[in-house]
Structures are given as C-alpha cells and as structure tokens.
Amino acid sequence: MELIADVPGLRARLDTARAQGLLIGFVPTMGSLHDGHLSLVRAAVARTDRVVVSIFVNPLQFAPTEDLAAYPRDLDADLALLEPLGIDCVFHPDAATLTPPGRRTTVHVAGLTDRFEGATRPTHFDGVTTIVTKLLSIVGPCDAYFGEKDFQQLTVIRRMAIDLDLPVEVVGCPLVRDSDGLALSSRNAYLSADERRDALVLHRALHHLAATWDGDADSARDALAGRISSAPGVHLDYAEVVDPETLEPLEGVTGGAAQALVAARVGATRLLDTMRLEPTG
Ligand code: AMP
C-alpha cells in the first residue's frame, strides 16, 4: 500500500492501471477512520480492481466557526486500519495542493444544497462539491464510493456527476452503526459518556418510525420530531421525511420510497442520522 501526496504521482499510477484494463475504486474520506469508512473500502475492494482511499480534511467544507482545527486526525492509525484491506494506495495531499493560492473556482449544485445541512451550514456543500470534483478529476475514471450516512451529500454528488458528465459511477453504501445503534461518525469522539447515551434517541426514533411507517409522511415527521426534541440533552435541528431522489419533503400519504433525515446537536456536537422507509404501496 503506497502513501502518495502528489497529484502527478497518483495520476501516473492510476493511468497505468487503467491502461491495463483495470477498474479503479475510489473512497474519499477525511480520515479518523472507523468501521463506516472501512465498509466503503471493503465494498470497493470487492467490486473493483485497484482501490485508492483519499485522506484529506477539507478546509472548504468547514465554516470559520466550525471544528476544522479540532477535527480528529491520526494518519498512522488510519494507515494501520487500511493496511490489511488490500487497497492499492492512500492519497494524502496537503492543503495547498487541493486549495492552491489564488483559487477562484467553486462548484455549486443548486437547490439540493439549500435545505437541511445547507440551511444551517450555507457554505458547506460548495466546499464538499468543489473538493470532491477536484479529487475525481485527479483520480480520473473510477467507481466512487460514498456513504448513505451523509444522505444529502450522496444525493448532491450523484446529481453533480450527472450534470458535469464526470466519468464516474457513484456508488452509495449503507450506513454502519455501533453496537448500541449510534451511527458511526468521526465526531462521536467528541461525545461524553452522558452525551453518547442521550444521542441514542436519534437511532431509536428512526427505528421506531421505520417499524411503524404506514406512508403518512406528515404524522411520521411530527412523531419523529416530537420524540427527538423531547429527549433530554438533545437539540433537534431538523427531522424530515423526504423523497430519496429529490430530497423534497413528502406530504400526505405516500406509497413509494421515503427517507427519514435527522440532525441534532448533543452538547456541542452536531450529529446526523437517516433511515430508509420501505414502500407501503
Ligand atoms: P467523512 O470522512 O466523514 O467525510 O466520510 C467519508 C465517507 O464515509 C463519506 O462518504 C461518508 O458518508 C462515509 N461514512 C461516514 N460515516 C459512515 C457510516 N457510519 N456508515 C457508512 N458510511 C459512512
């Protein structure tokens, strides 16, 4: 497993593999890897020929008030987790490589980025889409793996890949939870023991919703929001039931596919969770 920091080095390596007819699998991450990330890597290893994992804490997706400096980083631990998985290389560029001085270009996906995460973090998705576009341009034609954990991000990236004709197959992978049900996230490291216990309401409320889902989006949304906002120590940001492709909130009774999305603050930590609601019709 090679550790590569420079763009020409990575391009040359992947071009050589493609020239041999090999399919590249790409897993972009911000490091501080956990089993959620590793599930994406395992899926890529199983379904493609050469896997590259990027580790880059993207400064553009953090607002000045957010946790960029504090975001957990441990490259050695990440490499130790990746080593046994059989990947080809880790791309670990420095900030100047991906955000060069004099940079004037932003990739913006309209509409899909206004709501939910975009409402509380107005610059977040432009930071994500700009850097993911650059990473995909550097990696070149590939299958790129993203987690459903960040459901809105996955939807935005799928749209972007279509709109920009990127030579990429975007592959979504299921959310991975800890044994107590909490969605795995690098930010879980910020939670105290009490906060972690309080945070379990997100999963419990989603689980209850999925088990009782009868297609009534309005009452489902109210029940989900009610359960989470009445839990101690948890400050609800949003709880929604949406169309999984357009992210439009569903209204009334629906028989088709639906996705529940929640975000909440537990102490100082903002957590996301999501669950698919199976069609009832
Ligand atoms: P991050 O390092 O947080 O930017 O995440 C890198 C990739 O891992 C993204 O595609 C995430 O959606 C995905 N991911 C993060 N947590 C999980 C999880 N618990 N289950 C599945 N995928 C995840």
Side-chain angles (χ1 to χ4, degrees):
M1 185 179 85
E2 288 285 314
L3 180 61
I4 300 176
D6 70 301
V7 172
L10 182 70
R11 279 207 169 117
R13 187 181 183 89
L14 299 180
D15 283 346
T16 303
R18 273 186 294 262
Q20 295 165 356
L22 300 177
L23 173 62
I24 306 298
F26 176 42
V27 185
T29 81
M30 298 207 300
S32 189
L33 301 180
H34 51 63
D35 259 333
H37 300 111
L38 300 185
S39 73
L40 270 52
V41 177
R42 289 193 188 96
V45 167
R47 298 188 220 158
T48 67
D49 303 311
R50 290 275 188 285
V51 174
V52 50
V53 175
S54 64
I55 297 180
F56 179 67
V57 181
N58 171 12
L60 302 187
Q61 73 181 66
F62 292 77
T65 51
E66 293 179 352
D67 57 342
L68 173 62
Y71 196 83
R73 293 165 173 87
D74 189 343
L75 182 63
D76 289 341
D78 290 344
L79 296 178
L81 288 170
L82 291 171
E83 184 73 57
L85 300 187
I87 69 170
D88 182 66
C89 58
V90 174
F91 181 48
H92 182 56
D94 60 20
T97 301
L98 290 196
T99 55
R103 194 183 72 77
R104 304 288 295 170
T105 306
T106 295
V107 177
H108 176 69
V109 177
L112 285 174
T113 56
D114 295 345
R115 292 200 174 106
F116 310 127
E117 290 309 284
T120 31
R121 308 178 73 193
T123 58
H124 172 71
F125 281 117
D126 282 1
V128 171
T129 47
T130 299
I131 290 297
V132 169
T133 300
K134 285 172 66 91
L135 288 168
L136 292 172
S137 155
I138 292 165
V139 168
C142 66
D143 287 3
Y145 288 73
F146 294 88
E148 290 177 358
K149 152 90 176 11
D150 300 284
F151 196 85
Q152 187 179 11
Q153 169 176 283
L154 173 61
T155 308
V156 166
I157 288 170
R158 281 193 202 284
R159 185 70 248 170
M160 177 181 87
I162 294 168
D163 291 351
L164 297 181
D165 284 315
L166 299 177
V168 168
E169 176 80 28
V170 175
V171 183
C173 296
L175 186 156
V176 177
R177 299 180 180 282
D178 219 334
S179 52
D180 58 7
L182 187 66
L184 289 177
S185 164
S186 306
R187 290 194 167 93
N188 292 351
Y190 300 149
L191 297 171
S192 69
D194 284 351
E195 289 169 345
R196 199 191 151 92
R197 197 196 50 233
D198 292 342
L200 295 179
V201 71
L202 301 184
H203 169 243
R204 277 202 298 268
L206 285 167
H207 185 72
H208 183 267
L209 175 60
T212 57
W213 170 241
D214 59 1
D216 181 346
D218 295 328
S219 54
R221 172 182 303 115
D222 290 348
L224 185 63
R227 269 173 182 264
I228 296 172
S229 49
S230 62
V234 178
H235 178 83
L236 180 67
D237 185 354
Y238 58 80
E240 264 300 347
V241 176
V242 302
D243 178 304
E245 306 216 331
T246 63
L247 300 183
E248 287 294 326
L250 294 170
E251 281 168 22
V253 176
T254 166
Q259 189 80 22
L261 306 175
V262 300
R265 221 170 6 82
V266 182
T269 308
R270 199 155 171 285
L271 299 175
L272 304 185
D273 206 334
T274 185
M275 200 171 280
R276 179 180 160 84
L277 306 174
E278 296 301 333
T280 55

